[in-house]
Amino acid sequence: MTEERVDTCDLLCLDLPHAEQIRATLPPLRQVEPAAAAARALSDPTRLTIATALYSGGELCVCDMAWVVGQAQNLVSHHLRQLKIADLVSSRRHGRLVMYALTDRGHGLVRAVLGDELTSATTGPENSNDIADVSRG
């Protein structure tokens, strides 16, 4: 029994006007690369967990973040740096603490990646904050 290939066309054809119209609307590579880097930054489960915690918790310091996600502080610090490089988090010094928060881009990407899962995670019984209140950070 041979398996039918459904991922390629059996006939080489091209709807050139339609294809050209789509191709003309694609953003240039220099605009796509930063978006791909941001998506890669959230491809790591630890970074996605950190970003989700920032989404629901607002601004957090590294030591609080380490406790929240259950990871070592140096590991969390490393992942926060990666998220900052991808412009998904921002940081500020508050005395001896470094505080981290999601950027607008970070909020949008976390929401896009997690969708409905994010809503249930941030509005569970243990977290009575409304998502709109969290973004005021």
Side-chain angles (χ1 to χ4, degrees), residues 1 3-4 12 15-16 20 36 38-39 54 58 66 83 86 90 92-93 104-105 107-108 110 113 115-116 124 134 137:
M1 182 190 306
E3 197 172 311
E4 186 177 330
L12 180 59
D15 181 351
L16 193 57
E20 284 179 339
L54 288 170
L83 291 169
S90 61
R92 69 175 183 87
R93 186 162 283 284
D104 289 341
R105 182 180 194 192
H107 272 276
V110 169
V113 168
D116 291 340
V134 173

Side-chain angles (χ1 to χ4, degrees), residues 110-127:
V110 169
R111 195 171 28 252
V113 168
L114 292 178
D116 291 340
E117 293 175 33
L118 181 65
T119 303
S120 63
T122 59
T123 59
E126 69 284 346
N127 186 353

Side-chain angles (χ1 to χ4, degrees), residues 8-125:
T8 60
C9 295
D10 291 334
L11 177 64
L12 180 59
C13 64
L14 179 61
D15 181 351
L16 193 57
H18 184 63
E20 284 179 339
Q21 182 182 17
I22 294 169
R23 189 178 202 173
T25 63
L26 292 177
L29 191 57
R30 70 180 185 285
Q31 289 178 348
V32 173
E33 287 173 336
R40 274 193 306 276
L42 287 184
S43 69
D44 180 89
T46 301
R47 286 194 288 270
L48 183 55
T49 302
I50 289 169
T52 304
L54 288 170
Y55 189 97
S56 63
E59 189 176 58
L60 294 168
C61 70
V62 177
C63 42
D64 285 346
M65 178 63 65
W67 188 87
V68 167
V69 300
Q71 299 289 342
Q73 188 171 336
N74 61 342
L75 179 67
V76 169
S77 182
H78 164 76
H79 284 297
L80 283 165
R81 273 192 303 277
Q82 298 305 309
L83 291 169
K84 189 173 178 181
I85 289 168
D87 193 33
L88 300 179
V89 301
S90 61
S91 65
R92 69 175 183 87
R93 186 162 283 284
H94 181 72
R96 297 176 76 184
L97 301 174
V98 177
M99 306 298 291
Y100 288 89
L102 282 179
T103 61
D104 289 341
R105 182 180 194 192
H107 272 276
L109 195 52
V110 169
R111 195 171 28 252
V113 168
L114 292 178
D116 291 340
E117 293 175 33
L118 181 65
T119 303
S120 63
T122 59
T123 59

